[in-house]
Amino acid sequence: MGAMGAAEPLRSVLWVKQQRCAVSLDPARALLRWWRSPGPGAGDPGADACSVPVSEIITVEETDVNGKQYSSGKWQKMERPYAFTVHRVRRARRHRWRWAQVTFWCADEQVHQLWLQTLRELLEKLTSRPKHLLVFVNPGGKGHGRRVYERKVAPLFALASITAEIIVTERANHAKESLYELNIDKYDGIVCVGGDGMFSEVLHGLVGRTQRDAGVDQNHPRAALVPSPLRIGIIPAGSTDCVCYSTVGTNDAETSALHIILGDSLSMDVSSVHHGGTLLRYFVSLLGYGFYGDLIKDSEKKRWMGLVRYDFSGLKTFLSHHCYEGTVSFLPAQHAVGSPRDRKPCRAGCFVCRQSRQQLEEEQKRSLYGLESTEEVEEWKVICGQFLAINATNMSCACPRSPRGLSPAAHLGDGSSDLILIRKCSRFNFLRFLVRHTNQGDQFDFTFVEVYRVKKFQFVSKTAGDEDSSVEGRGKKRFGQLCSDHPPCSCAASSSSWNCDGEVLNSSAVEVRVHCQLVRLFARGIEEPPRREWHS
């Protein structure tokens, strides 16, 4: 058995279950390891060594072993065994995390106390972990959200000594209104239990409250929004859980609870949608016009059908095959590293997000000091035509039905959105495009599909351009000049609606801007599969 100084590794021979093990703790690397050591001394770790970073230890508890019976004669020699249990995260398949525990035993009280004290001191240094949370629970159908929280989340929060104030929502926008009224300074973060709609409520409440407190006018399309110091945690309990799936890699409640407990931070872009001088909504995943706009608008009329309404409305919208004419104007994201077709998905510790953020900050500094006006240097591009769909994605929009999402290489925090234009084509070709979302094929490899990485974009439908020139003057002039160069077409001039993260926006003329890393989540991001997983 060993001891340690202030920064020296700690190594002892302890018992795990009924096996004699060497256990080491390296404070410099913050790593706990143990391996079988049947002979005298600790020995060196072999291929069967188990390992867990201190950052993935939930808590350490002193374990009472009195009254337990042990069949092994070795245990009978311990007159009074001392034990402590390490509660930790264990990785399972498909990005799932699981709560696991391992108990270490010894006969020496001093060694036992040394291990407890050392591990607890290391855990206390992890100051990013939340202690007090505000939790909004959408009860959902038949109390599903409440059951998910009470059965899967609350016990883990209690284990991690996290206190929570629970608000069960009773109506639409209950969470948003509460965030405007409550004293949120006393919390370490906000947690929402529900689907993407519940997350959107919390997002709008937190972003709106932050801008109000900072004196920022959200209705101004060019306002520099202020990030909130509070992080948002998502406990999935909805139908698709797209945001959770795209940021963690699974829609598993236990996994999300463990991400919150460990206190990781994941910065994420938020896009604002304006019509004229008014903020319509924010979105983090999808803003869709045409196909997805028609789908969500039709499904809202059929809420009595339950979740099957999305399938029904999807089929109906596909068969309708409506095409819409309009003009898209966008500012390319020249600061962004990578492209929508580079097949490099956003993962934990993403290099693309980090580099894009740095380049965007440098660009903003140059603009601030008047060295150059970025919007004058970067030219807007304009595309007129007939479209089956116009989609803007801030993330991959992955979900269980579409594991790779609408834009597999979209990044969470690179200050850009992937703008996907699906031009008029046959039903068969459009079906081919939709099917690509469910397999490994390149869904942008069609002549009628274009994709761009953008910082801002504007859209005006033909009817909106004729009847309501509400986009800013510079945009109107640009649209008028370029569209007049195109011959008039004979397509129907009807307008669609926008699907803004599952909510319907009826204003077809919009101005969209990406706000780089405006919010932070309690998440690490989607991890690459490890070469080897350690199991106790």
Side-chain angles (χ1 to χ4, degrees), residues 119-307:
L119 284 168
R120 286 172 175 170
E121 287 176 354
L122 289 174
L123 290 176
E124 286 175 4
K125 293 179 181 179
L126 303 176
T127 56
S128 64
R129 293 191 173 185
K131 296 298 182 184
H132 189 44
L133 296 170
L134 175 61
V135 180
F136 290 100
V137 179
N138 181 357
K142 300 180 180 179
H144 175 65
R146 184 180 293 186
R147 285 197 306 273
V148 167
Y149 180 79
E150 291 176 350
R151 296 178 183 179
K152 298 185 177 182
V153 180
L156 290 174
F157 281 2
L159 178 67
S161 300
I162 294 176
T163 59
E165 184 174 330
I166 315 298
I167 297 178
V168 180
T169 58
E170 300 172 353
R171 61 185 184 279
N173 290 319
H174 187 175
K176 177 183 175 181
E177 294 165 3
S178 297
L179 286 170
Y180 270 89
E181 298 167 359
L182 294 171
N183 174 20
I184 59 176
D185 295 335
K186 61 182 179 178
Y187 303 108
D188 299 317
I190 314 296
V191 174
C192 54
V193 183
D196 292 331
M198 188 65 189
F199 171 77
S200 182
E201 265 199 49
V202 170
L203 171 78
H204 280 80
L206 188 59
V207 172
R209 169 68 179 270
T210 304
Q211 308 321 305
R212 187 194 70 181
D213 292 350
V216 176
D217 182 8
Q218 297 181 89
N219 287 318
H220 196 295
R222 288 180 175 76
L225 301 186
V226 178
S228 171
L230 294 179
R231 287 170 286 177
I232 302 176
I234 308 173
I235 302 296
S239 54
T240 57
D241 301 310
C242 172
V243 178
C244 190
Y245 200 95
S246 297
T247 55
V248 176
T250 180
N251 57 344
D252 175 69
E254 182 178 345
T255 301
S256 293
L258 292 171
H259 275 267
I260 294 170
I261 288 169
L262 296 190
D264 288 317
S265 291
L266 179 66
S267 297
M268 188 170 67
D269 297 338
V270 176
S271 289
S272 57
V273 185
H274 285 80
H275 174 76
T278 304
L279 172 70
L280 299 182
R281 284 189 74 83
Y282 295 109
F283 75 92
V284 297
S285 55
L286 171 69
L287 181 70
Y289 184 83
F291 178 77
Y292 287 104
D294 293 348
L295 189 159
I296 197 69
K297 188 171 185 178
D298 186 76
S299 70
E300 284 298 300
K301 303 173 185 176
K302 300 175 174 61
R303 298 188 72 89
W304 55 271
M305 296 178 66
L307 295 179

Side-chain angles (χ1 to χ4, degrees), residues 1-3 10 12-14 62-63 65-66 78-84 104-118 120:
M1 300 178 189
L10 173 62
S12 302
V13 174
L14 306 174
E62 190 169 3
T63 307
V65 297
N66 291 331
M78 289 190 184
E79 295 179 2
R80 186 182 174 188
Y82 298 92
F84 62 92
F104 298 93
W105 316 75
C106 69
D108 190 319
E109 184 179 7
Q110 288 186 341
V111 172
H112 168 257
Q113 289 298 322
L114 178 61
W115 274 95
L116 271 175
Q117 178 184 346
T118 305
R120 286 172 175 170

Side-chain angles (χ1 to χ4, degrees), residues 360-419:
L360 186 61
E361 287 176 347
E362 291 173 4
E363 178 184 288
Q364 291 169 341
K365 286 179 183 178
R366 289 196 300 269
S367 178
L368 180 65
Y369 291 112
L371 298 178
E372 61 185 29
S373 176
T374 55
E375 289 195 26
E376 293 297 327
V377 174
E378 298 177 337
E379 297 210 358
W380 287 65
K381 295 187 178 180
V382 179
I383 297 176
C384 298
Q386 303 174 50
F387 305 97
L388 283 169
I390 297 171
N391 300 328
T393 64
N394 280 9
M395 57 179 63
S396 67
C397 294
C399 65
R401 288 191 174 188
S402 178
R404 297 178 68 238
L406 298 181
S407 187
H411 288 269
L412 294 168
D414 66 347
S416 70
S417 180
D418 285 356
L419 180 63

Side-chain angles (χ1 to χ4, degrees), residues 506-528:
N506 290 314
S507 300
S508 58
V510 296
E511 182 175 355
V512 179
R513 177 185 174 191
V514 184
H515 301 270
C516 186
Q517 300 186 14
L518 185 64
V519 298
R520 292 184 301 152
L521 302 184
F522 282 111
R524 184 172 296 183
I526 300 176
E527 296 180 317
E528 294 287 359

